[in-house]
Amino acid sequence: MLQTLSLLLENKPGALMRVVGVLAARNYNVESLTVARTIDETLSRMTIVVDVESKVRAQVVKQLNKLVNVLQAQDLTEERSVAREMVLLRVRAEMANRTAILKEAEIFQARVVDSSVEGFAIECTGDPEKLDEFVDLMRSYGEIEVTRSGLVAVTLEPKKLRLASPVPMGAAEEEEEQQERVLSK
């Protein structure tokens, strides 16, 4: 089952590695990961889509909340939230199909960002299902090349952000080691 996680973390070297390390150590497959600085330059917001069994979803959030640099990890899978992804697509098409491609792009509210004799570069934003449909449709017009951004999500819940103080160095590592020992038994 795909789980969408939103993390607020300190914008420091190694923060991304710690988060990915926890997921890799437990053999969870990361479907997408996006991270960028927030309006506060000292913080970053990360959206991760990870493939986990539904019974361990709460455990994943707990493990991420214990990491150094992570101020808040939140499961958005079943919360009211908005999630979007962007796709950049190049389609090579014959001249006869160019008008149809532009009409289809307009229907999907996509935007042509480059045009040449060979075809178009098109940007489209939306939920992943919409983008899948757009990519499948463009495939029918000719050879395509696709780059996807990964999911970006934000909660719509009115609750305030609850920031946990960063876990002091050493304490989190001891706790992780204890968890590893418990899991290995």
Side-chain angles (χ1 to χ4, degrees), residues 94-108:
E94 298 174 10
M95 290 302 252
N97 292 332
R98 293 175 68 91
T99 304
I101 290 171
L102 293 174
K103 284 184 180 179
E104 297 290 358
E106 187 177 337
I107 290 169
F108 279 85

Side-chain angles (χ1 to χ4, degrees), residues 100-184:
I101 290 171
L102 293 174
K103 284 184 180 179
E104 297 290 358
E106 187 177 337
I107 290 169
F108 279 85
Q109 298 178 337
R111 191 168 69 102
V112 174
V113 292
D114 189 55
S115 175
S116 69
V117 177
E118 298 172 355
F120 300 106
I122 302 172
E123 168 189 327
C124 188
T125 304
D127 61 66
E129 292 79 22
K130 171 189 167 185
L131 297 181
D132 290 341
E133 291 174 22
F134 182 68
V135 169
D136 287 343
L137 183 65
M138 289 296 121
R139 189 174 287 129
S140 69
Y141 288 107
E143 182 183 337
I144 62 170
E145 186 177 326
V146 177
T147 303
R148 296 180 82 136
S149 67
L151 201 65
V152 177
V154 64
T155 182
L156 296 177
E157 296 297 328
K159 63 187 172 191
K160 284 187 169 183
L161 291 177
R162 180 179 48 87
L163 300 180
S165 58
V167 178
M169 289 294 272
E173 292 162 355
E174 283 179 31
E175 204 163 306
E176 281 184 32
E177 286 177 18
Q178 278 182 328
Q179 268 188 327
E180 292 295 327
R181 280 183 255 149
V182 169
L183 290 174
S184 65

Side-chain angles (χ1 to χ4, degrees), residues 1 3-4 8 13 23 27 29-30 34-35 47 51 64 71 74 93 112-114 123 125 134 143 145 151 179:
M1 172 182 192
Q3 179 180 25
T4 303
L8 184 65
L23 299 173
N27 205 25
N29 186 36
V30 175
T34 57
V35 62
T47 303
D51 190 7
L64 292 173
L71 303 176
Q74 187 176 12
V112 174
V113 292
D114 189 55
E123 168 189 327
T125 304
F134 182 68
E143 182 183 337
E145 186 177 326
L151 201 65
Q179 268 188 327

